[in-house]
Amino acid sequence: GDPDVKHISPDRPVKTSLNNAVAAVNGRYGWSLGLDGSGIGVAVIDSGIHLIEDLKDASGKSRIKYNLDLIGGGTDDAYGHGTHVAGIIGGNAKNSTCSSCDVSIRGLAPNVSLINLRALNNNGQGTDSSVISAVNKAISLKSTYNIRVINLSLGRPVYESYAVDPLCQAVEAAWNAGIVVVVA
């Protein structure tokens, strides 16, 4: 009855929804065409990748084909974000396929090779130079690992025009090298 209140919205429940990533981009259609990432490399520039069962091939071997630490502290993922991103990209659902599992969570390209370029530290922070170094490394490894995609699930505010911003220039160099760059 208060005239200053336009609307009251209920406090609705929320929950995680990672298992809708594939559906959100119609990933099942790609799978039906046999597109599962086989033979393709994706460079994950993030906080590292921790090797989990979902990131192994059918014979139990790691699909992380290359590791490089550009920030210090090793290539493992103490922060967790890079592993999360790698799972969305290439998880094979092994950890979520069991008799007590209620949903199987599979990444978009469950057979993709992963290139782990750690440019963020244990707090999920890095610098332009660590990310630029990672982008440049991905470009140099393109032919070796058939890198077709670079994933940058990170960001910072805009300070200058893309025409002079060194991070934007690095991303453009990757694009000019024929690599699709996915940026958060």
Side-chain angles (χ1 to χ4, degrees), residues 57-125:
D57 65 19
S59 65
K61 293 181 183 172
S62 175
R63 286 185 289 118
I64 304 170
K65 302 300 182 186
Y66 183 86
N67 292 286
L68 180 64
D69 175 22
L70 295 151
I71 194 83
T75 58
D76 199 15
D77 186 11
Y79 187 64
H81 190 264
T83 305
H84 168 79
V85 168
I88 292 170
I89 294 167
N92 63 14
K94 185 164 185 168
N95 285 342
S96 61
T97 304
C98 64
S99 60
S100 62
C101 297
D102 60 348
V103 65
S104 180
I105 302 174
R106 186 176 180 196
L108 292 168
N111 286 323
V112 74
S113 294
L114 297 164
I115 292 72
N116 176 17
L117 301 173
R118 185 172 181 263
L120 304 180
N121 66 18
N122 292 349
N123 297 313
Q125 299 172 347

